[in-house]
Amino acid sequence: MSQMNRRRALQLLAALGTTGLAAGCGSGTDTAEETEPGSPIKIGLIVPGSGPNKVIGDEITNGFQLFLALNDGQLGGHPVTVVPAEEGDTAKTGQAAVDQLLKEGVLALTGVVSSVVMTGIRDAVEQARVPLIGSNASPISLQSVVYIWRTSYVLNEPGEALGQYLRQTLDKSSTIAIFGTQGQSSRDVIDGLRDGYEQGGRRLTKDPVFTPDYANPGKNVYSGAIAKALGSRHPDAVFCHYSGVQAVQFVKQLYAQGYRGPIYAPGFLTEGTVLSQLDDGEKGEERALIQKYGIETALNYSADLNNTANRVFASAYRKAHNASPTTFAMASYDAAQVLDKAIRLVGGNPTPQQVNLALGKIGQIDSPRGAWQFNQPRTPQQKWYLRKVQLDGRLLSNVVISELATLG
């Protein structure tokens, strides 16, 4: 980090009472003197600007821009222009975004929320030979790629981490009801659950229930599927894969149908504003049920992780956005960080191909999630954490309980 960056971070964090932490911010090499910036570069940011995934797109944008704000608007010593493009929700709209950004002459691409879009643009990215650092979508099927890297996770990993935990926690005779949205993402997550759980003679005895992928689900859309799955004898536990407004409605309707037991899920279930929407103020019914029966999730990040990089990141994010950062913002912040490292390694006037080659040489990342590094499939080898929904002051919050596994 340059002296200007250090001063800027210290000023920002001093206002938060967190001075002394800025050494964990940024990724460049400390220098005693200011250096002249390199040639300007463009980075293409592919995110949805509308629809149910917009909230994730906003988090991705916020995370990337925060890294730039803490690093003089530069990556690897080069002034950056971020060029946004609308992701949409189909392979066709994703392809249009890639085509637009390639015409803009971007050095690299980042973002991408939807697994459908990521799969759809794979060939275009590989043929263009421009690196894409995906910060969310990561289907299992995305393999044998050269120019696509991911700073998030592979979708089977949260299920696998929880499957291992449930195998050790639940009685062998326990029954688990499994829910998710129709589409490959939930299938990937549930495949991971099977891999982690079905060992030592254990089996998941109930077939998964896949519900339509509603953009804005109503108050009763899941009730029929839930009632049928619960039956006359309720299962010992529920595992589910939902996020955003779908997560809110699923949990509400699960309780409304009489379920009284623990809920386990990838951390997307309780990310963002979900908990505030479940915490129904004066009534307190859902809060009481959550506190009594528990919601536990597996994720690669929590805003309360106690490491220097996260104290810097989370404090700066809260100051900028008056909200705690999510895994989506964190992964995008790290996407900027790995680009910063790779571009710095190239130096001079970097080309997309040089940056792609350098991405394989950057080594360990000092991340808010904890240290991680790219594995051979170009995804993170990283820790997964068990989080439990608990009261933090007067609000429901995701609190890290323990480490679950290192996967990747």
Side-chain angles (χ1 to χ4, degrees), residues 40-273:
I41 59 175
K42 294 180 180 180
I43 303 296
L45 179 64
I46 303 173
V47 288
S50 60
N53 285 334
K54 180 182 182 300
V55 62
I56 300 177
D58 291 345
E59 289 277 331
I60 287 173
T61 300
N62 292 345
F64 199 89
Q65 293 287 8
L66 181 61
F67 184 90
L68 293 178
L70 293 174
N71 288 273
D72 292 333
Q74 298 182 15
L75 293 177
H78 294 258
V80 172
T81 298
V82 176
V83 184
E86 171 59 47
E87 175 179 332
D89 55 9
T90 67
K92 185 176 180 180
T93 57
Q95 180 69 62
V98 171
D99 290 344
Q100 171 196 332
L101 293 171
L102 292 177
K103 290 178 181 178
E104 290 276 355
V106 297
L107 181 66
L109 304 164
T110 190
V112 188
V113 173
S114 165
S115 290
V116 172
V117 171
M118 178 63 86
T119 302
I121 66 176
R122 168 193 169 145
D123 291 346
V125 172
E126 293 287 295
Q127 290 168 13
R129 301 175 66 209
V130 173
L132 165 61
I133 296 80
S135 50
N136 188 63
S138 193
I140 296 175
S141 59
L142 193 67
Q143 299 178 359
S144 301
V145 289
V146 176
Y147 283 85
I148 299 177
W149 308 72
R150 288 158 280 177
T151 57
S152 51
Y153 41 74
V154 181
L155 270 170
N156 64 324
E157 292 176 350
E160 183 178 354
L162 268 178
Q164 294 176 8
Y165 171 69
L166 294 180
R167 177 164 46 85
Q168 298 165 1
T169 304
L170 298 181
D171 185 85
K172 193 172 184 177
S173 63
S174 298
T175 58
I176 305 172
I178 304 169
F179 298 87
T181 56
Q182 293 171 352
Q184 194 58 47
S185 294
S186 286
R187 295 183 186 279
D188 285 351
V189 168
I190 293 168
D191 284 346
L193 174 69
R194 292 188 185 281
D195 290 341
Y197 186 81
E198 292 189 335
Q199 299 179 31
R202 287 181 177 250
R203 291 291 180 268
L204 295 169
T205 56
K206 286 182 172 289
D207 291 332
V209 175
F210 293 106
T211 56
D213 191 9
Y214 300 109
N216 292 290
K219 293 183 178 180
N220 296 303
V221 296
Y222 300 120
S223 297
I226 291 171
K228 184 176 181 180
L230 296 183
S232 59
R233 295 181 60 188
H234 284 189
D236 300 292
V238 163
F239 177 94
C240 59
H241 178 234
Y242 296 96
S243 63
V245 66
Q246 294 180 341
V248 174
Q249 287 300 328
F250 178 80
V251 173
K252 283 178 177 287
Q253 292 171 44
L254 184 66
Y255 287 144
Q257 289 298 315
Y259 177 70
R260 300 294 183 264
I263 300 172
Y264 302 96
F268 327 121
L269 184 78
T270 54
E271 283 288 270
T273 62

Side-chain angles (χ1 to χ4, degrees), residues 319-377:
K319 181 175 178 62
H321 300 288
N322 196 31
S324 293
T326 64
T327 188
F328 313 118
M330 178 278 299
S332 190
Y333 180 89
D334 274 3
Q337 185 173 186
V338 300
L339 279 171
D340 178 73
K341 285 180 171 289
I343 294 168
R344 193 175 301 278
L345 279 176
V346 174
N349 295 306
T351 67
Q353 295 76 33
Q354 289 172 328
V355 172
N356 194 71
L357 187 63
L359 284 166
K361 302 177 181 179
I362 60 177
Q364 195 170 82
I365 305 300
D366 184 19
S367 167
R369 76 187 85 178
W372 66 272
Q373 61 188 17
F374 282 121
N375 57 19
Q376 189 174 3

Side-chain angles (χ1 to χ4, degrees), residues 1-15 22 25 66-74 316 319:
M1 178 188 297
S2 72
Q3 296 301 312
M4 182 181 296
N5 293 342
R6 188 181 299 282
R7 288 195 300 272
R8 183 169 295 175
L10 286 170
Q11 290 168 358
L12 173 63
L13 295 169
C25 173
L66 181 61
F67 184 90
L68 293 178
L70 293 174
N71 288 273
D72 292 333
Q74 298 182 15
K319 181 175 178 62

